[in-house]
């Protein structure tokens, strides 16, 4: 594998390993780091606010990437639990269900999906008990899955795939079907979420499905819009210690779109309760009501919900007419780098939205790491990219590429890196303008009051130079039960030297050093932290991740890592093939 390090602002600074030298997993002392010593690594916090062209990004150019096509192919479900072969030790204190969600079926009959996000939801359960592991999986019995299965073709449109008219209908009937309202999918393939003690699988439409976390049975379809006036909700809610759930969802009316912050109470008033008692805490008006921002998640501190209005925009006219025009829904989403990213703060207790808006240069984000308040500031940590093309990059045809085409695909992607923004909470008319308000001596982030209601922020990097070796970081996770909304030291994620994660990373914010688990040819999923029962320190526990290998048939295994060292504790080999999925959750036994 030939590796090059390239800084892409001027094209003049580049360095490479000699042909035949190998990429290692040894951190800052690796061969790549040696090659990088002659290259100045520029953080984008040096960029001027108004000119994104001056942002310098340092990234790896890779050649000879292994094809991951087997990781984005349909598989059969495993509805009856099967045993696994344990190597090493699965700690006996880990008892519960490690639940995973993601696409598992990419075609019906001779019709196929175009986008990774479109595949039918396949739910996985790794049941861990007394040092042993069993595995099962089931397709979510959504209306989309059932209708497609009954007709053996795609009859419900998804994010990147428009359904084709029924071939059995006449030409005139097929023409008229273009004018029918598009049915909203309930293919909840993104994540598992918890609400009032029950488990649901979710996507970004108004539908969730309650499921049994033990046998993965689909129990009940739940519609957010039956309880509050929203047309969808994210698959990444936040939770208070008492079980109160916060989420966000858009609503669309005659006057355009609104971003809504949702609050769901922690307790049921009836055993059959689902979203009863949910309320809209407050609404935020988009900068452009007919072109609101797309968002995958949001942030939450102890007292505030933070909405990130990013320049990934949705053209509502194109979206509502996509069926008429014969285009997929994703064709109505676009990146507008001329727009700044704006942070909106909403008080969780009163629902009041701050009149002060926090601006920064254009970037995109899918996942936040954490947010906490300290010394009058709100620290906002998230995984950021300097462009917003990621959604359109994950077409199935791209993920199945090989050879030079795969290398070219990867090398044109913008990398994702962890960053921190520091937002001054108490900005008043007395707050001085034109100077950095960040008084935290340990922080390099800046925040400058530009006018009465505008603060311009520039981030600081939450990583050292060695993260460039691992292709950036995504799928961030923390010790959520202990550290969410609180100051913290560690976060975990996947390194991306491929189109999917190919390493597990642990970042220490105290000195921005990395610990790494990496084995060539293996692709781990989002790491999930499970605290040990007698945990004292933040990283007392294990990391659970599902590792896939495209070059081996049925080479899947559940990997258990020591959360302190990222050294392998044990693994459970699962004799089935699995596609690469999205998100998971650990459901401890009661």
């Amino acid at each position: 594998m030939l590796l090059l390090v390239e800084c892409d602002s001027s094209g003049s600074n580049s360095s490479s390993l000699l042909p035949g030298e190998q990429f290692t997993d040894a951190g800052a002392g690796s061969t790549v780091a040696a090659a990088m010593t002659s290259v100045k690594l520029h953080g984008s916090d040096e960029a001027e606010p108004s000119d994104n062209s001056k942002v310098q990004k340092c990234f790896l150019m890779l050649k000879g990437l292994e094809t991951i096509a087997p990781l984005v192919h349909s598989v059969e479900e495993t509805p009856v639990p099967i045993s696994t072969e344990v190597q090493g030790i699965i700690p006996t204190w880990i008892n519960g269900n490690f639940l995973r969600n993601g696409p598992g079926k990419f075609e019906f009959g001779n019709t196929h999906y175009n986008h990774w996000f479109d595949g039918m939801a396949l739910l996985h359960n790794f049941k861990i008990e007394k040092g042993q592991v069993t595995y099962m999986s089931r397709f979510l019995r959504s209306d989309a899955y059932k209708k497609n299965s009954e007709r053996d073709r795609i009859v419900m449109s998804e994010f990147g795939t428009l359904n084709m008219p029924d071939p059995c209908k006449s030409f005139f009937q097929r023409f008229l079907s273009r004018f029918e309202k598009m049915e909203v999918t309930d293919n909840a393939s993104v994540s598992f979420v918890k609400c009032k003690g029950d488990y649901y699988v979710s996507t970004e439409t108004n539908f969730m499905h309650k499921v049994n976390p033990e046998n993965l049975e689909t129990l009940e379809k739940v519609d957010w819009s039956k309880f509050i006036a929203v047309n969808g909700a994210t698959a990444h809610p936040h939770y208070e210690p008492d079980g109160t759930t916060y989420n966000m969802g858009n609503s669309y009316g005659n006057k355009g779109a609104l971003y809504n912050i949702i609050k769901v109470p922690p307790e049921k008033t009836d055993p059959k309760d689902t979203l009863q008692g949910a309320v809209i805490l407050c609404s935020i008006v988009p900068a452009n009501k007919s072109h609101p921002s797309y968002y995958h998640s949001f942030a939450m501190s102890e007292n505030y919900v933070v909405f990130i209005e990013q320049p990934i925009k949705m053209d509502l006219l194109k979206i509502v007419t996509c069926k008429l025009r014969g285009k997929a829904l994703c064709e109505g989403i676009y990146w507008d780098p001329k727009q700044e990213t704006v942070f909106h703060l909403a008080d969780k207790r009163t629902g009041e939205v701050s009149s002060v808006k926090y601006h920064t240069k254009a970037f995109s984000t899918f996942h936040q790491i954490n947010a906490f308040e300290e010394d009058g500031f709100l620290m906002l940590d998230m995984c950021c990219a300097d462009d917003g093309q990621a959604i359109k990059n994950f077409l199935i045809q791209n993920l199945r590429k090989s050879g030079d085409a795969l290398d070219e695909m990867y090398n044109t992607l913008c990398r994702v890196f962890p960053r921190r923004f520091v937002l001054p909470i108490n900005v008043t008319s007395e707050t001085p303008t034109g100077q950095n308000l960040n008084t935290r001596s340990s922080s390099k982030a800046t925040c400058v009051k530009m006018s009465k209601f505008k603060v311009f922020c520039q981030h600081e990097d939450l990583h050292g130079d060695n993260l460039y070796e691992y292709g950036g970081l995504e799928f961030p996770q923390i010790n959520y039960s202990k550290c969410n909304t609180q100051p913290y030291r560690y976060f975990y994620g996947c390194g991306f030297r491929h189109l999917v994660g190919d390493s597990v990373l642990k970042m220490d914010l105290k000195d921005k050093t990395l610990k790494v688990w990496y084995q060539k040819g293996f692709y781990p999923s989002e790491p999930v932290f499970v605290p040990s029962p007698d945990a004292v320190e933040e990283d007392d526990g294990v990391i659970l991740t599902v590792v896939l290998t495209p070059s081996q048939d049925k080479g899947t295994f559940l990997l258990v890592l020591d959360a302190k060292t990222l050294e392998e504790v044990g693994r459970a080999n699962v004799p089935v093939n699995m596609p690469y999925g999205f998100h998971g959750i650990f459901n401890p036994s009661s």
Side-chain angles (χ1 to χ4, degrees):
M1 180 185 292
L2 174 68
L3 298 115
L4 302 95
V5 180
E6 180 170 310
C7 293
D8 75 341
S9 64
S10 66
S12 61
N13 290 331
S14 65
S15 176
S16 67
L17 293 180
L18 296 175
E21 287 193 301
Q22 295 298 307
F23 209 124
T24 75
D25 59 330
S30 71
T31 52
V32 174
M36 294 171 69
T37 55
S38 63
V39 183
K40 183 180 180 183
L41 303 181
H42 298 275
S44 54
D45 52 330
E46 297 174 6
E48 294 180 11
S50 60
D51 188 358
N52 284 303
S53 66
K54 294 186 179 181
V55 176
Q56 297 199 23
K57 294 173 282 186
C58 191
F59 56 93
L60 291 173
M61 301 286 287
L62 304 184
K63 292 190 71 67
L65 288 171
E66 173 187 26
T67 181
I68 57 166
L71 306 187
V72 280
H73 273 280
S74 299
V75 298
E76 299 295 324
E77 63 182 4
T78 307
V80 178
I82 60 174
S83 299
T84 65
E85 178 193 1
V86 173
Q87 293 178 248
I89 297 173
I90 306 296
T92 55
W93 57 263
I94 308 175
N95 290 288
N97 302 308
F98 182 37
L99 306 171
R100 294 271 305 154
N101 195 355
K105 186 173 178 62
F106 299 95
E107 67 282 315
F108 286 89
N110 60 3
T111 60
H112 63 273
Y113 291 112
N114 299 322
H115 201 282
W116 193 21
F117 299 172
D118 299 343
M120 294 290 98
L122 180 61
L123 315 182
H124 310 264
N125 180 9
F126 298 83
K127 186 175 184 62
I128 309 171
E129 189 173 28
K130 298 179 180 178
Q132 298 299 312
V133 180
T134 59
Y135 168 79
M136 67 173 298
S137 65
R138 278 187 173 176
F139 282 106
L140 177 70
R141 263 50 180 189
S142 61
D143 289 345
Y145 179 85
K146 289 186 289 187
K147 290 179 180 180
N148 293 341
S149 298
E150 287 168 3
R151 302 186 189 181
D152 197 29
R153 65 180 181 88
I154 296 171
V155 298
M156 287 189 67
S157 297
E158 298 290 341
F159 176 75
T161 305
L162 184 70
N163 72 315
M164 291 295 102
D166 189 342
C168 296
K169 291 184 176 181
S170 69
F171 173 81
F172 185 64
Q173 288 174 319
R174 293 199 300 271
F175 172 75
L176 289 180
S177 70
R178 288 286 183 93
F179 297 89
E180 297 172 356
K181 184 178 179 181
M182 182 183 290
E183 189 174 1
V184 177
T185 184
D186 64 336
N187 176 37
S189 64
V190 177
S191 66
F192 277 86
V193 300
K194 198 172 182 180
C195 187
K196 299 183 181 181
D198 292 324
Y199 281 87
Y200 296 81
V201 286
S202 181
T203 180
E204 295 180 342
T205 69
N206 51 303
F207 296 115
M208 298 194 300
H209 285 272
K210 184 190 292 186
V211 297
N212 184 323
E214 292 292 333
N215 63 15
L216 304 180
E217 180 185 358
T218 304
L219 300 176
E220 181 180 0
K221 180 179 175 179
V222 179
D223 183 350
W224 279 99
S225 67
K226 301 296 184 184
F227 301 91
I228 50 176
V230 295
N231 297 93
T234 80
H236 291 288
H238 276 291
Y239 309 100
E240 297 278 26
D242 69 352
T244 300
T245 302
Y246 289 87
N247 208 332
M248 287 198 64
N250 284 4
S251 56
Y252 306 103
N254 295 332
K255 296 182 179 180
L258 289 173
Y259 311 121
N260 303 291
I261 297 174
I262 304 164
K263 184 177 181 179
V264 184
E267 303 292 340
K268 295 181 179 181
T269 57
D270 183 274
K272 296 182 179 180
D273 268 6
T274 56
L275 297 175
Q276 283 81 357
V279 296
I280 292 178
L281 184 65
C282 61
S283 299
I284 298 169
V285 179
N288 184 335
K289 287 187 175 183
S290 62
H291 290 248
S293 290
Y294 167 83
Y295 56 95
H296 184 72
S297 59
F298 62 99
M300 186 178 83
S301 68
E302 185 174 4
N303 295 296
Y304 297 93
V305 168
V306 186
F307 171 60
I308 300 103
E309 188 173 20
Q310 60 186 349
I312 302 178
K313 298 296 182 179
M314 299 186 293
D315 186 326
L316 296 186
L317 179 60
K318 284 187 175 181
I319 288 174
V320 299
T321 61
C322 63
K323 188 172 183 179
L324 179 63
R325 295 182 299 109
K327 300 290 186 180
L329 186 149
C330 67
E331 296 293 323
I333 299 177
Y334 65 97
W335 166 246
D336 184 1
K338 296 179 182 179
Q339 301 291 320
E340 293 179 341
T341 296
V342 182
F343 306 126
H344 301 265
L345 267 60
D347 191 303
K348 287 158 60 177
R349 295 162 298 184
T350 65
E352 181 181 359
V353 180
S354 173
S355 56
V356 176
K357 305 302 177 185
Y358 303 85
H359 293 241
T360 189
K361 70 178 186 65
F363 75 84
S364 65
T365 181
F366 276 80
H367 302 113
Q368 283 68 58
I369 304 169
N370 199 5
F372 62 94
E373 300 159 39
E374 198 170 63
D375 303 327
F377 297 94
L378 190 152
M379 269 56 70
L380 179 59
D381 299 350
M382 66 187 85
C383 293
C384 306
D386 287 324
D387 77 18
Q389 304 294 344
I391 291 177
K392 294 187 177 180
N393 291 331
F394 290 113
L395 297 174
I396 292 174
Q397 64 182 19
N398 290 337
L399 294 169
R400 291 177 179 171
K401 286 181 177 180
S402 60
D404 291 343
L406 174 58
D407 295 343
E408 181 181 358
M409 178 65 205
Y410 176 81
N411 290 327
T412 57
L413 296 180
C414 187
R415 310 294 188 264
V416 179
F417 291 95
R419 297 173 178 171
R420 171 171 292 176
F421 293 87
V422 177
L423 314 183
I425 297 173
N426 301 308
V427 177
T428 69
S429 58
E430 304 300 317
T431 303
T433 59
Q435 67 183 57
N436 184 15
L437 303 177
N438 183 10
T439 56
R440 295 167 62 85
S441 59
S442 61
S443 173
K444 295 181 180 179
T446 63
C447 43
V448 178
K449 182 182 175 184
M450 309 298 287
S451 59
K452 184 177 181 180
F453 297 122
K454 179 177 179 179
V455 174
F456 193 88
C457 303
Q458 296 192 71
H459 70 267
E460 62 180 310
D461 291 331
L462 292 184
H463 62 89
D465 291 347
N466 57 348
L467 184 58
Y468 293 108
E469 301 175 39
Y470 297 98
L473 183 148
E474 248 291 5
F475 292 143
Q477 289 283 311
I478 62 172
N479 182 341
Y480 193 93
S481 61
K482 181 180 179 68
C483 299
N484 187 50
T485 77
Q486 302 298 314
Y488 69 113
R489 180 173 173 178
Y490 305 108
F491 64 90
Y492 305 84
C494 285
F496 274 76
R497 288 187 303 229
H498 212 300
L499 300 180
V500 298
D502 77 327
S503 60
V504 177
L505 307 177
K506 176 186 181 181
M507 182 67 70
D508 185 342
L509 291 176
K510 185 177 181 179
D511 53 12
K512 296 182 180 177
T513 56
L514 273 179
K515 284 186 170 60
V516 181
W517 181 90
Y518 169 74
Q519 290 185 11
K520 182 176 174 58
F522 292 89
Y523 299 88
S525 68
E526 170 193 64
V528 172
F529 179 87
V530 181
S532 59
D534 55 351
V536 175
E537 297 182 337
E538 180 183 332
D539 57 350
D540 284 341
V542 298
I543 292 295
L544 301 180
T545 180
V546 178
V547 182
L548 311 179
T549 174
S551 61
Q552 297 179 26
D553 184 47
K554 300 179 181 178
T556 306
F557 56 92
L558 171 67
L559 178 64
V560 182
L561 300 174
D562 185 316
K564 281 188 176 295
T565 65
L566 283 199
E567 293 177 355
E568 180 172 343
V569 177
R571 65 176 67 181
N573 296 302
V574 187
V576 299
N577 291 316
M578 296 180 207
Y580 198 89
F582 297 137
H583 297 289
I585 190 173
F586 182 71
N587 171 35
S589 299
S590 57

